[in-house]
Amino acid sequence: MTTLQQKDPEPSGIEGWNDVCIIEALYQSIETGQPVQVNNFDRDQRPTSAQTIELPATEQKPKLIHATPVGGKA
């Protein structure tokens, strides 16, 4: 446990490594045009509903940026 709250960080390094393996397999599949087998590492734990963070909707409107619209017309 290395965080201020004495909890293991989520996602873990294993979770990040799985993501890297998936991304590399995607690139390989694009190059070859073939499916690629991805070997994921097992995770000790998975996220639970107790980790859900629910925040109330904001009442404030966002600050608008004065930029040209996509169509180019102001």
Side-chain angles (χ1 to χ4, degrees), residues 33-71:
Q34 299 294 316
V36 175
Q37 179 71 35
V38 178
N39 298 319
N40 285 336
F41 293 95
D42 289 332
R43 294 169 247 186
D44 293 336
Q45 66 182 35
R46 297 199 179 258
T48 66
S49 60
Q51 293 173 298
T52 301
I53 300 173
E54 293 189 26
L55 301 173
T58 181
E59 298 283 329
Q60 298 175 345
K61 291 185 178 182
K63 258 186 159 175
L64 298 179
I65 298 172
H66 298 290
T68 305
V70 176

Side-chain angles (χ1 to χ4, degrees), residues 16 18-19 23-24 26 30 57 69:
N18 281 335
D19 292 344
I23 292 168
E24 287 185 358
L26 288 169
I30 290 168

Side-chain angles (χ1 to χ4, degrees), residues 2 6 17 28 34 37 63:
T2 58
Q6 300 302 312
W17 183 249
Q28 186 178 354
Q34 299 294 316
Q37 179 71 35
K63 258 186 159 175

